[in-house]
Amino acid sequence: MSSEITDTIAAAVTGVPGVASLHAGMFGEVGTYLPGRRVVGVRVTESSTDIHVCIFADAAVRDTALRIRQAVSGLVTGPVNVTVEDVVGRGRDA
């Protein structure tokens, strides 16, 4: 897995309106290991791409997931699976 495509996917996802952040999954299992670092919330396999996110409470879940799928589908082959792990308020830290 190229770090360039992983970083491009992460940037595309976090640029989608309504996305608060990428999420590592329930037990931290979703991520891509790269030399010296880990990109959480993005897992690309030969058959699919998994994206796990936190979204803002005022974002429509299905619309946001669709926008994520659209943003990523042009970058990878195969289906893009989106999981909303958490919903957060818009605060100073979000």
Side-chain angles (χ1 to χ4, degrees), residues 1-10 30-51 72 75-79:
M1 169 62 44
S2 138
S3 62
E4 183 177 307
I5 189 63
T6 303
D7 290 334
T8 301
I9 291 168
V30 181
T32 301
Y33 289 95
L34 299 172
R37 64 191 175 100
R38 182 172 183 249
V39 178
V40 299
V42 178
R43 178 174 45 211
V44 180
T45 68
E46 291 180 15
S47 60
S48 67
T49 300
D50 297 320
I51 306 294
V72 175
L75 304 172
V76 297
T77 57

Side-chain angles (χ1 to χ4, degrees), residues 4-27:
E4 183 177 307
I5 189 63
T6 303
D7 290 334
T8 301
I9 291 168
V13 171
T14 56
V16 171
V19 173
S21 64
L22 290 162
H23 192 285
M26 185 178 234
F27 300 107

Side-chain angles (χ1 to χ4, degrees), residues 46-93:
E46 291 180 15
S47 60
S48 67
T49 300
D50 297 320
I51 306 294
H52 289 235
V53 294
C54 294
I55 66 169
F56 290 114
D58 60 353
V61 175
R62 288 179 190 223
D63 291 343
T64 304
L66 176 63
R67 286 189 203 104
I68 292 167
R69 221 174 267 110
Q70 290 170 337
V72 175
S73 65
L75 304 172
V76 297
T77 57
V80 176
N81 306 306
V82 178
T83 302
V84 175
E85 293 279 357
D86 201 359
V87 177
V88 298
R90 290 188 188 263
R92 283 185 247 149
D93 296 336

